[in-house]
Amino acid sequence: MQNIFKAFSLSYKSAPLAVREQVTLTEGEIKDFSLKIKDLFGIQECLVVSTCNRTEVYYTSEQDITADVIKALLTYKGIIDTESYFVHFQQFNLQADAVKHLFEVATGLHSQVVGDLQIPNQIKHSYQFSADLNMAGPFLHRLMHTIFFSNKRVAQETSFRDGAASTSYAAVALTEEVTQNINNPKVLILGLGEIGIDVCHNIADKEFAEITVMNRTRAKAEDIAKGNNFRIADFIELENEIRRADVIISSVMIDKPLITKELMEKIGILTFKYFIDLSVPRSVEDNVEEVAGALVYNVDSLRERADEALRIRLASIPDVERIIDEAIVAFNDWSREMVVSPTINKLKNSLEQIRKEEIARHLKNLSPEESERIEKITMGIVQKIMKSPVLNLKAACKRGDADQLVDIITELFDLEKQANSAYVH
């Protein structure tokens, strides 16, 4: 198999957040950088993926230019001391390794919360960017559609996507559950530390509610709202925002509860109000539930949900790996056959040229009906002649020794000469 597909990855497994956030790319930067490496290195097919947890580049090239592309990425992000960052990158310079890594990332095996659908969806977006830029050719198209089909199998045949396997995702799932009978529910996300931001990421693709974000520092709320259909509220409006919200998801880091029974009695509750407290120590007071209409869920109850879902997902990993392995085998068969397809086309064109030349010599005095019959007969002969070489070439591909047979067929049928002759004509 040709070794044309390569990749590199900077992820939460290999780099701290302080490094990852320096290298992360916006949607506009993904497109711009893709075109940049096309110009710099002549890369025709590439997939650039960038999230809060990983920045990865997959590309096709006969040459091993991974280190150069990494350097180009770091330079693009304004990092001058590029050498010191190389330790954080995983490099996949063998096609088999790069393909397997993309399969595992795209199915959620390498997500911080295994089975998380966020990264597969982001990879779909990145693939669309590549297609829009005409940087997705036959190899990448085939690979991505094989991955998409594998993801469908994972969803249908395993429990790998079942349940909410992180507390932040469980909070979003619970929010959907308790608001399913509320028309256009209003959700307030209070506090934008690491957990609050994770909640925002998990809820961003949902469309079941109006989302408001609130943080002591408004700039942070504005930053997380970029590109999302979120409202922003100032912290000084806390009472009013709690009053209007149906669900309050709080992850405020504070020494004593921010939301108290006294505050809730002051605000007054006209309908059910759900408090999901992800803070440690807690930011919602124990006795808030004593106020009629207030229901409180804390991090322990959510963690129980998440732990059970995670246990089920982890138990499904062998099934997911089996599906990936089966898909990779099928993709590798196709990839190997790509190597011999030019030879097959040359042989077909050579035989077709001979057929047409011979027919031209003998059909001058035949009727249209006779000419049509001879045309069909000779085309059938060519197809039968082609059948054995094609089957043998494909079998050789699977054995891994197609190169020798390609050379024999090329020499036996003088395909290089035939191709050059056809080009001249």
Side-chain angles (χ1 to χ4, degrees), residues 251-292:
S251 61
V252 178
M253 294 299 107
I254 195 167
D255 292 336
K256 58 183 181 179
L258 179 68
I259 299 170
T260 62
K261 179 183 177 183
E262 182 183 358
L263 176 63
M264 294 315 301
E265 288 174 338
K266 177 183 176 184
I267 290 173
I269 297 179
L270 301 177
T271 59
F272 280 109
K273 206 172 286 290
Y274 302 90
F275 295 88
I276 301 175
D277 187 5
L278 303 179
S279 307
V280 179
R282 283 176 285 185
S283 58
V284 180
E285 199 170 49
D286 277 345
N287 57 3
V288 163
E289 273 199 336
E290 294 175 10
V291 178

Side-chain angles (χ1 to χ4, degrees), residues 9-294:
S9 169
L10 181 140
S11 74
Y12 71 94
K13 292 185 176 182
S14 61
L17 178 60
V19 172
R20 299 199 307 273
E21 63 188 3
Q22 291 182 64
V23 182
T24 190
L25 298 164
T26 64
E27 288 187 5
E29 287 175 332
I30 286 175
K31 296 175 182 178
D32 187 46
F33 182 69
S34 298
L35 292 173
K36 189 176 184 66
I37 60 176
K38 180 179 183 178
D39 291 339
L40 284 174
F41 307 110
I43 292 173
Q44 297 302 310
E45 295 190 66
C46 82
L47 179 77
V48 180
V49 179
S50 192
T51 73
C52 57
N53 282 330
R54 66 180 65 250
T55 295
E56 301 184 333
V57 176
Y58 302 83
Y59 68 95
T60 59
S61 175
E62 298 285 351
Q63 307 299 319
D64 179 8
I65 53 172
T66 300
D68 294 326
V69 181
I70 292 174
K71 189 172 182 179
L73 172 63
L74 293 170
T75 304
Y76 179 78
K77 293 300 294 183
I79 297 169
I80 298 172
D81 182 21
T82 57
E83 294 299 322
S84 64
Y85 281 76
F86 269 73
V87 66
H88 298 297
F89 287 87
Q90 288 179 283
Q91 298 186 37
F92 305 92
N93 292 318
L94 293 177
Q95 180 164 304
D97 294 339
V99 167
K100 187 175 179 66
H101 181 73
L102 180 53
F103 263 95
E104 291 175 345
V105 169
T107 49
L109 278 175
H110 289 326
S111 298
Q112 276 192 309
V113 179
V114 291
D116 187 7
L117 267 173
Q118 191 174 0
I119 184 65
N121 290 336
Q122 288 163 330
I123 285 179
K124 281 186 178 180
H125 292 316
S126 292
Y127 171 52
Q128 186 61 57
F129 299 155
S130 296
D132 292 343
L133 297 171
N134 292 320
M135 294 191 72
F139 187 96
L140 194 56
H141 282 310
R142 182 70 175 232
L143 177 58
M144 295 308 301
H145 285 283
T146 305
I147 288 172
F148 297 154
F149 180 71
S150 300
N151 261 325
K152 286 182 181 178
R153 286 191 62 194
V154 167
Q156 293 168 357
E157 299 175 25
T158 76
S159 301
F160 192 59
R161 300 268 160 73
D162 292 358
S166 72
T167 51
S168 57
Y169 194 85
V172 174
L174 177 60
T175 301
E176 286 188 276
E177 185 180 312
V178 299
T179 60
Q180 58 185 328
N181 294 321
I182 301 174
N183 183 37
N184 191 32
K186 296 174 176 57
V187 177
L188 173 64
I189 299 175
L190 180 58
L192 296 174
E194 187 174 343
I195 296 173
I197 289 174
D198 202 30
V199 170
C200 290
H201 287 153
N202 283 311
I203 209 169
D205 292 334
K206 310 286 186 180
E207 297 181 353
F208 69 93
E210 176 192 295
I211 310 299
T212 299
V213 291
M214 176 183 287
N215 194 64
R216 290 185 187 277
T217 307
R218 181 182 172 89
K220 199 165 187 179
E222 291 174 345
D223 188 53
I224 198 69
K226 286 178 184 175
N228 295 308
N229 190 26
F230 293 165
R231 281 182 70 244
I232 301 171
D234 289 321
F235 211 84
I236 196 172
E237 294 294 325
L238 178 63
E239 289 186 22
N240 289 332
E241 290 300 326
I242 291 177
R243 185 176 288 112
R244 76 185 293 276
D246 297 296
V247 179
I248 298 90
I249 304 175
S250 177
S251 61
V252 178
M253 294 299 107
I254 195 167
D255 292 336
K256 58 183 181 179
L258 179 68
I259 299 170
T260 62
K261 179 183 177 183
E262 182 183 358
L263 176 63
M264 294 315 301
E265 288 174 338
K266 177 183 176 184
I267 290 173
I269 297 179
L270 301 177
T271 59
F272 280 109
K273 206 172 286 290
Y274 302 90
F275 295 88
I276 301 175
D277 187 5
L278 303 179
S279 307
V280 179
R282 283 176 285 185
S283 58
V284 180
E285 199 170 49
D286 277 345
N287 57 3
V288 163
E289 273 199 336
E290 294 175 10
V291 178

Side-chain angles (χ1 to χ4, degrees), residues 313-416:
R313 290 187 181 188
L314 290 173
S316 300
I317 286 178
D319 292 327
V320 176
E321 290 174 335
R322 173 183 52 80
I323 290 170
I324 289 174
D325 289 343
E326 291 171 1
I328 288 176
V329 167
F331 177 76
N332 286 344
D333 287 344
W334 173 86
S335 183
R336 290 187 186 101
E337 288 181 12
M338 278 186 67
V339 178
V340 300
S341 61
T343 302
I344 292 172
N345 287 330
K346 286 178 185 178
L347 179 58
K348 183 178 179 181
N349 292 337
S350 176
L351 294 176
E352 181 64 12
Q353 185 179 343
I354 293 169
R355 186 187 74 84
K356 287 182 176 179
E357 287 174 355
E358 290 302 305
I359 285 178
R361 289 172 57 193
H362 299 288
L363 294 189
K364 294 176 182 177
N365 300 319
L366 296 180
S367 67
E369 292 79 10
E370 289 172 326
S371 296
E372 185 178 351
R373 190 178 304 167
I374 294 296
E375 188 79 18
K376 287 182 179 178
I377 290 171
T378 54
M379 286 178 67
I381 291 171
V382 168
Q383 287 175 357
K384 286 186 176 181
I385 293 171
M386 283 287 299
K387 185 176 180 180
S388 181
V390 169
L391 290 176
N392 280 301
L393 278 168
K394 290 185 176 181
C397 284
K398 291 184 178 181
R399 294 195 305 269
D401 57 2
D403 289 346
Q404 185 178 2
L405 192 54
V406 165
D407 291 341
I408 292 171
I409 291 175
T410 300
E411 186 174 351
L412 186 63
F413 289 91
D414 203 8
L415 297 183
E416 290 301 330

